[in-house]
């Protein structure tokens, strides 16, 4: 009963259906990374991935050209759940899917990006397949996922493991068209800093960030959704808060949220234990797992 309520709350936030049977075949296919990768470890924790997804969207909304593609060519503002659901599937497909599933997902995204062009709010031209914009999206996503995992998973990674994660993700980012991506944790932080003078908190960004801050939800899922979005905003780097006109969260605020999320995550992880990662392990090692 509780497990089903949790799963319903998650579907309310990002969509999704029943058991992910598409990840069970073909037998023995290790996909892009394989079960020993850090990507499998980090992306398996759905709670921290949702939190990191919110903070990465906040960061991406601050880049006028990255935001323009979403503003002009997507249903983000009308169908936030659908957009997050498609992003969640892409991450699942490229992390845990078979080689064919992962390649198909990348091909679809690349085809869409080739058609997304226009002018941003400053009347500057943009292309969604611009390597500079693709890198910004990649950097903010991977950094947000790692930061959220470190804060909310209660499982610390040593420096070598964190660097391995960014090295693995570099391959994926390059397949999507980004270039000169860093392959270390420190390198990723530095690369993000190089974008700061390109960021702008205008009316469009305020609209998107306001939508994320008041994520649409029904009465049953509202407490869960509110907690996840709140943690997403606390997962931002400190230098972002002055840009979005918010105070830097105190250490006490972060500790309180961390404790709450870690407690809430226990039944969520139990409810989702037979999810994509578990199905993919059966594909790689056999159905006896």
């Amino acid at each position: 009963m509780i497990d089903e309520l949790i799963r319903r709350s998650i579907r309310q936030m990002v969509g999704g259906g029943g058991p992910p049977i598409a990840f069970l075949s073909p037998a023995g296919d290790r996909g892009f990374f394989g079960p020993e990768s850090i990507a499998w470890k980090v992306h398996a924790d759905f709670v921290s991935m949702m939190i990191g997804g919110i903070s990465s969207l906040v960061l991406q909304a601050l880049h006028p050209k990255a935001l323009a593609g979403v503003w002009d060519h997507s249903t983000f503002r009308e169908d936030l759940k659908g957009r997050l659901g498609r992003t969640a599937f892409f991450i699942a497909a490229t992390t845990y899917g078979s080689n064919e599933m992962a390649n198909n997902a990348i091909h679809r995204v690349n085809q869409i990006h080739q058609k997304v062009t226009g002018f941003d709010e400053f009347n500057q031209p943009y292309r969604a397949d611009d390597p500079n914009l693709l890198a910004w999206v990649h950097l903010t996503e991977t950094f947000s996922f790692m930061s959220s995992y470190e804060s909310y998973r209660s499982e610390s990674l040593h420096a070598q493991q964190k660097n391995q994660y960014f090295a693995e993700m570099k391959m994926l980012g390059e397949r999507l068209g980004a270039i000169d991506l860093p392959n270390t944790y420190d390198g990723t932080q530095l690369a993000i800093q190089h974008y700061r003078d390109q960021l702008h908190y205008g009316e469009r960004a305020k609209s998107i960030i306001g939508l994320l801050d008041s994520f649409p939800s029904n009465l049953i899922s509202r407490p869960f959704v509110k907690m996840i979005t709140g943690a997403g905003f606390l997962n931002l780097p400190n230098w972002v808060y002055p840009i979005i006109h918010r105070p830097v969260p105190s250490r006490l605020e972060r500790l309180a949220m961390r404790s709450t999320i870690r407690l809430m995550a226990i039944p969520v992880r139990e409810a989702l234990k037979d999810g994509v990662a578990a199905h993919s392990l059966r594909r790689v090692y056999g159905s006896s797992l």
Side-chain angles (χ1 to χ4, degrees):
M1 177 69 176
I2 294 176
D3 284 3
E4 180 53 34
L5 182 62
I6 291 170
R7 285 190 284 266
R8 213 184 318 159
S9 295
I10 290 169
R11 285 195 294 271
Q12 168 68 19
M13 190 167 188
V14 298
I21 58 174
F23 290 83
L24 289 172
S25 60
D29 191 315
R30 294 172 55 82
F32 282 178
F33 303 109
E36 303 82 12
S37 66
I38 304 302
W40 272 51
K41 176 188 285 289
V42 170
H43 293 179
D45 189 54
F46 196 74
V47 172
S48 59
M49 287 295 285
M50 285 194 294
I51 293 168
I54 294 295
S55 51
S56 69
L57 288 173
V58 172
L59 288 167
Q60 289 162 22
L62 295 176
H63 196 297
K65 291 187 178 182
L67 177 55
V70 173
W71 192 269
D72 295 339
H73 296 273
S74 84
T75 58
F76 187 95
R77 285 168 287 166
E78 298 79 26
D79 184 23
L80 181 55
K81 184 177 74 172
R83 168 62 189 265
L84 291 182
R86 290 188 292 274
T87 300
F89 177 78
F90 176 81
I91 293 168
T94 52
T95 305
Y96 299 104
S98 65
N99 278 281
E100 181 180 11
M101 181 189 288
N103 281 319
N104 286 343
I106 290 172
H107 179 66
R108 283 195 299 273
V109 170
N110 285 339
Q111 280 191 315
I112 292 170
H113 283 171
Q114 289 173 8
K115 301 172 185 175
V116 174
T117 63
F119 294 85
D120 69 14
E121 58 197 293
F122 297 105
N123 206 33
Q124 295 298 308
Y126 71 84
R127 296 186 57 88
D129 58 2
D130 177 353
N132 182 65
L133 298 184
L134 292 167
W136 172 246
V137 172
H138 174 87
L139 292 165
T140 51
E141 281 188 353
T142 53
F143 180 77
S144 294
F145 292 151
M146 176 57 71
S147 177
S148 180
Y149 185 89
E150 288 186 286
S151 295
Y152 298 109
R153 184 61 182 93
S154 303
E155 180 181 352
S156 60
L157 299 174
H158 54 69
Q160 184 178 350
Q161 288 177 307
K162 288 194 284 188
N163 288 341
Q164 181 182 332
Y165 173 75
F166 289 102
E168 291 167 357
M169 290 294 98
K170 177 180 179 177
M171 178 275 291
L172 182 57
E174 289 175 344
R175 292 285 302 274
L176 288 166
I179 58 175
D180 298 327
L181 293 172
N183 57 4
T184 65
Y185 177 81
D186 289 343
T188 299
Q189 285 188 300
L190 182 61
I192 288 173
Q193 291 294 322
H194 290 159
Y195 281 83
R196 287 180 63 171
D197 63 354
Q198 300 178 36
L199 306 184
H200 173 68
Y201 188 49
E203 292 306 313
R204 287 185 175 187
K206 289 176 183 177
S207 172
I208 296 298
I209 290 173
L211 181 61
L212 292 170
D213 204 14
S214 303
F215 200 104
S217 58
N218 60 32
L219 189 62
I220 294 175
S221 63
R222 192 166 298 148
F224 174 79
V225 171
K226 192 70 177 173
M227 197 179 306
I228 293 296
T229 54
F233 276 86
L234 289 181
N235 191 50
L236 295 166
N238 281 346
W239 58 264
V240 175
Y241 297 106
I243 297 175
I244 62 174
H245 305 159
R246 300 188 184 206
V248 176
S250 67
R251 185 170 180 271
L252 185 60
E253 284 180 276
R254 294 186 193 277
L255 285 174
M257 180 63 80
R258 210 167 285 177
S259 299
T260 303
I261 291 290
R262 286 177 177 178
L263 186 64
M264 176 272 291
I266 295 171
V268 172
R269 288 168 183 145
E270 179 64 23
L272 299 178
K273 65 182 180 181
D274 195 31
V276 168
H279 280 66
S280 301
L281 275 173
R282 294 188 193 111
R283 182 188 74 243
V284 175
Y285 293 125
S287 58
S288 59
L289 285 178

